[in-house]
């Protein structure tokens, strides 16, 4: 008998058939004696289609209009899911961000939730109704619809869970939990039963795509327990919560990788004070999100400055570089788009020396060349050649004792397929 | 220098290309020194598609959810049109029904507007912005989205025009005004320069589909001048306004026809008092919208009762009839689906005797058999065989002096096509 928030992503509500499955699942929770609130994303590719329509009309659509346009996607899926629940004989009621009392600032396209008035949702629950909330959106003080940024539905779910004091915020997706590494890259990756907010945050922000880091941050701040699980099975997923003694005591929780960043180097910069500030202020004011920064030791008064940033920011980064070469007296700049960042994450690293040494040893043994290094108390990241990303993730996964006895692909096969595969191997 | 509300229907905003054309048109009005507010319907077939999605999930979706679902259609087109205007260098701002301050009762799917708070729209106009309002929708006291019924965008446009004190409410569609008859049926139909609210109301409710009768009624009550005109040309259309001396002094303004009704007859009903009440109360409580009623003179204590209703209501009417035969002691009931109602409408009929005689004469001369007759002070309707509808409309159109010297199809042809046609006729 729990109070549950259950969030379903776009794939889970991509068609009327899938929406019916979600309705069934919610009703099963209800029948098991729980109270449940659903949070939904837009159906399948709806958001992309709406973005396409906008692009046909404007190369730079006003943010207020764009937010209003995109918010309709979740409003369609919330009403359809409510209808499906109703058609199965249970009561449901849809709530747009505004009706759900999700107030935000007015930073369109990346609004932050400032307040949640959950009274109307609570009152619906008390009447035995299943509230269905549109993810990804809120309303600002002027009554204008805002959106929380791509993947913001996770944040909506956590915010609603906090607002109504839910026992757990279940986030359903096409993966069945948090793994020690991406199983497509490291086939011996293991699913974690539980992970701390801190480790999950570092994994999310290092490229693990299962959960939005903002949602995890929100959950940590307000103590909301997240359960990341599969929309297509009943299996237990991974709990994201405050670190406690029941969690595995591994030094490293997982290995994340990210191939979406690029590396930029400005060569032969005149090395006087304020140079770095000049570069990174210019980048920041042009909305280039710089991740890692390395400045070489100065030789004969000149130095190289290297940084990484999302590939999406590269056009803006190039513009900034062009404008800076002359004022900095720099020779040229070079871009490397074929890089990968691999990160080792674990709260246990804080109390366990030698993690870096073990990582470098493992990478060295596998002939993976390290281009850049950055660290935090619970994370070590290296930038390497993108072609070596699988090798790097696998060798680090093994080196830190994360390897499972079974290989991921085999778990995905049916008993028959597995037998067939084994027989084939023997023949 | 006027304050104009301009409403564009679904066909006018069916694609990004058409939306750009609408934006161009609005900007032209602005450049001519006017202030303008746009009201839009959903793009093309959007509403039908949303209805289809709902039907895939529920045979009887809750009205509150259905309204919320359908309202997204207009919200998409309002944002896209705003983007198109913005991309052309003019300022625009979209307003959902709720943002436009359109308050309604909570009769979902057919809500009535109770109040308009036009402050936000007025303030946008004052800032030089083109407000773009979502048609068809409002918000009730609980903050739930309501819809005004199919075609409700016309009503939104009139309501907004009233709320901001606009000089005119322009309603753009694929026809270029109000005709003395449907030109597809009566090729000698003429476009009217102006028509009174009363005549327009009778025409609309008698089958002329150009304007929603509710919108005309709203306009009459609040004195809003409507201009019905073409979305595809700059030609002057038809003004709908208070009758005045500038209007044509014709006895009859137009001939409307409607082939969507059916005729039901209950035969050999025991004729005692209260029988008719029993029949029509049963029909009303089953949502059958009865239009015309005829009861024959009783012979030997039994009579026939005949009525017409929309074809869409026929299944419900049949159910009622089945249940009434025994209690009424009636023999049977018969349905005729092949009927047409033809109506002569004109405020001038009040002061001009002999209209009915002239109409019956004309129909008789054309061998059109009259099945039922009903009248109002400014309307005479006859029900005839559906196969004779063109003949009936044309002969009445001629009999009341409405025929134009030119034939409609010819106006639609280019000069070249017309010349070609004439030459062909000669050869």
């Amino acid at each position: 008998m729990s109070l549950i928030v259950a969030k379903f992503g776009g794939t889970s509500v991509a068609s009327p058939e899938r929406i019916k499955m979600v309705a069934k699942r919610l009703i099963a929770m209800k029948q098991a004696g729980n109270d449940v609130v659903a949070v939904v994303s837009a159906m399948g590719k709806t958001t992309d289609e709406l973005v396409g329509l906008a692009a046909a009309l404007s190369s730079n659509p006003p943010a207020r209009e764009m937010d209003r346009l995109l918010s309709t996607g979740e409003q369609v899926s919330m009403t359809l899911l409510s209808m499906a629940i109703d058609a199965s004989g249970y009561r449901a009621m849809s709530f747009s961000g505004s009706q759900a009392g999700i107030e935000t600032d007015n930073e369109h396209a990346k609004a932050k939730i400032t307040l949640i008035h959950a009274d109307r949702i609570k009152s619906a629950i008390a009447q035995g109704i299943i509230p269905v909330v549109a993810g990804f959106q809120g309303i600002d003080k002027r009554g204008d619809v805002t959106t929380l940024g791509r993947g913001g539905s996770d944040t909506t779910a956590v915010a609603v869970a906090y607002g109504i004091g839910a026992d757990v915020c279940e986030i359903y997706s096409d993966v069945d939990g948090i793994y020690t590494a991406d199983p497509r890259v490291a086939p011996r990756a293991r699913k974690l039963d539980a992970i701390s907010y801190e480790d999950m945050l570092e994994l999310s922000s290092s490229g693990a795509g299962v959960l939005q880091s903002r949602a995890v941050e929100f959950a940590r701040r307000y103590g909301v327990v997240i359960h990341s699980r599969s929309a297509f099975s009943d299996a237990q997923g991974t709990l994201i919560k405050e670190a406690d003694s029941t969690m595995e005591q591994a030094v490293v929780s997982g290995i994340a990788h990210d191939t979406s960043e690029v590396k930029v180097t400005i060569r032969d910069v005149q090395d006087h004070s304020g140079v770095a500030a000049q570069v990174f202020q210019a980048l920041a004011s042009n909305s280039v999100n710089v991740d890692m920064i390395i400045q070489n030791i100065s030789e004969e008064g000149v130095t190289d400055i290297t940084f990484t940033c999302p590939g999406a920011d590269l056009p803006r980064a190039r513009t900034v570089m062009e404008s800076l070469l002359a004022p900095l007296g720099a020779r040229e700049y070079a871009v490397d788009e074929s890089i990968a960042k691999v990160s080792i994450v674990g709260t246990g690293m804080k109390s366990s020396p030698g993690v870096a040494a073990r990582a470098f040893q493992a990478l060295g043994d596998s002939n993976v060349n390290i281009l850049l290094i950055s660290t935090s108390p619970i994370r070590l990241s290296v930038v390497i050649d993108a072609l070596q990303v699988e090798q790097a993730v696998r060798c680090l996964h093994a080196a830190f004792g994360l390897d499972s006895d079974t290989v991921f692909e085999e778990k995905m096969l049916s008993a028959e397929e597995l037998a067939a595969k084994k027989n084939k191997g023997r023949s």
Side-chain angles (χ1 to χ4, degrees), chain A:
Chain A
M1 174 83 192
S2 305
L3 177 52
I4 301 169
V5 170
K7 182 256 168 178
F8 294 88
T11 324
S12 310
V13 293
S15 67
E17 290 65 39
R18 293 208 175 164
I19 289 174
K20 283 180 193 171
M21 283 175 59
V22 171
K24 218 168 171 177
R25 186 143 203 163
L26 293 166
I27 288 171
M29 294 184 201
K30 192 89 185 151
Q31 286 171 332
N34 304 299
D35 281 325
V36 58
V37 178
V39 175
V40 286
S41 301
M43 294 172 76
K45 299 282 164 212
T46 305
T47 306
D48 293 337
E49 286 163 18
L50 292 172
V51 169
L53 275 175
L57 288 164
S58 174
S59 55
N60 183 28
R64 175 185 183 274
E65 303 304 330
M66 197 66 191
D67 272 7
R68 193 68 184 79
L69 176 66
L70 296 185
S71 73
T72 62
E74 282 74 17
Q75 290 167 9
V76 166
S77 45
M78 76 178 185
T79 57
L80 294 178
L81 178 54
S82 299
M83 290 175 188
I85 295 170
D86 178 87
S88 301
Y90 281 74
R91 288 166 70 204
M93 191 181 248
S94 70
F95 292 85
S96 65
S98 142
Q99 291 171 324
I102 297 173
E103 292 187 9
T104 72
D105 59 23
N106 63 3
E107 281 292 315
H108 284 291
K110 50 179 179 187
K112 285 193 183 54
I113 297 175
T114 51
L115 206 66
I116 301 151
H117 296 289
D119 303 353
R120 214 175 156 195
I121 293 181
K122 281 194 217 166
S123 140
I125 296 169
Q127 293 168 59
I129 292 167
I130 301 178
V132 180
V133 179
F136 176 63
Q137 59 191 264
I139 193 145
D140 70 13
K141 276 192 184 140
R142 288 177 301 201
D144 284 342
V145 173
T146 54
T147 68
L148 311 177
R150 277 258 165 161
S153 292
D154 287 357
T155 308
T156 301
V158 172
V160 169
Y162 166 67
I164 64 171
D167 298 298
V168 62
C169 175
E170 300 191 333
I171 298 194
Y172 290 83
S173 69
D174 48 7
V175 299
D176 59 355
I178 310 300
Y179 277 74
T180 50
D182 185 336
R184 291 166 299 185
V185 168
R188 291 196 178 275
R190 286 184 299 116
K191 189 174 72 181
L192 295 164
D193 291 332
I195 185 171
S196 69
Y197 294 123
E198 286 71 18
D199 285 9
M200 189 66 236
L201 267 177
E202 287 284 4
L203 283 177
S204 290
S205 56
S206 302
V210 182
L211 287 172
Q212 279 297 109
S213 9
R214 263 178 71 194
V216 179
E217 213 169 303
F218 200 107
R220 176 174 63 163
R221 194 174 326 141
Y222 296 106
V224 174
V225 175
I226 296 178
H227 185 181
S228 164
R229 59 192 305 188
S230 166
F232 307 111
S233 91
D234 287 329
Q236 190 74 5
T238 304
L239 293 176
I240 298 106
K241 55 182 190 173
E242 208 61 69
D244 67 25
S245 58
T246 66
M247 285 186 192
E248 297 180 53
Q249 296 300 314
V251 172
V252 167
S253 296
I255 315 288
H257 72 278
D258 184 352
T259 53
S260 70
E261 296 201 342
V262 298
K263 183 166 70 82
V264 180
T265 304
I266 325 177
R267 293 204 207 289
D268 297 350
V269 176
Q270 298 302 316
D271 189 14
H272 51 76
S273 69
V275 165
Q278 200 175 343
V279 171
F280 294 104
Q281 269 167 14
L283 289 166
S285 61
N286 284 279
S287 299
V288 176
N289 289 298
V290 171
D291 178 17
M292 291 162 71
I293 300 173
I294 306 286
Q295 183 171 344
N296 285 0
I297 294 161
S298 171
E299 278 179 36
E300 298 176 8
V302 296
T303 184
D304 290 353
I305 297 179
T306 297
F307 64 90
T308 64
C309 70
D313 295 357
L314 184 57
R316 290 194 295 278
R318 283 186 191 277
T319 310
V320 172
M321 291 300 106
E322 299 291 351
S323 70
L324 280 180
L325 285 183
L328 293 180
R331 187 159 53 90
E332 58 172 13
Y333 74 95
V335 172
D336 184 354
E337 299 189 54
S338 175
I339 61 160
K341 184 172 71 167
V342 176
S343 303
I344 308 167
V345 170
T347 318
M349 286 166 66
K350 277 193 282 198
S351 51
S352 176
V355 168
R358 210 201 300 184
F360 299 156
Q361 180 73 46
L363 291 166
D365 290 350
S366 295
N367 293 316
V368 176
N369 188 32
I370 299 171
L371 306 176
L372 299 173
I373 301 169
S374 89
T375 59
S376 88
I378 64 167
R379 176 182 53 77
L380 170 74
S381 299
V382 295
V383 169
I384 59 167
D385 187 322
L387 294 174
Q388 294 191 300
V389 64
E390 292 203 355
Q391 209 168 337
V393 171
R394 288 177 191 178
C395 79
L396 291 170
H397 199 264
F400 286 94
L402 298 172
D403 273 5
S404 157
D405 292 340
T406 53
V407 169
F408 184 74
E409 280 91 341
E410 293 181 355
K411 295 182 204 165
M412 298 288 105
L413 301 174
S414 69
E416 289 82 3
E417 288 170 325
L418 200 60
K421 193 178 175 182
K422 279 185 183 163
N423 286 333
K424 200 176 170 191
R426 275 179 206 135
S427 67

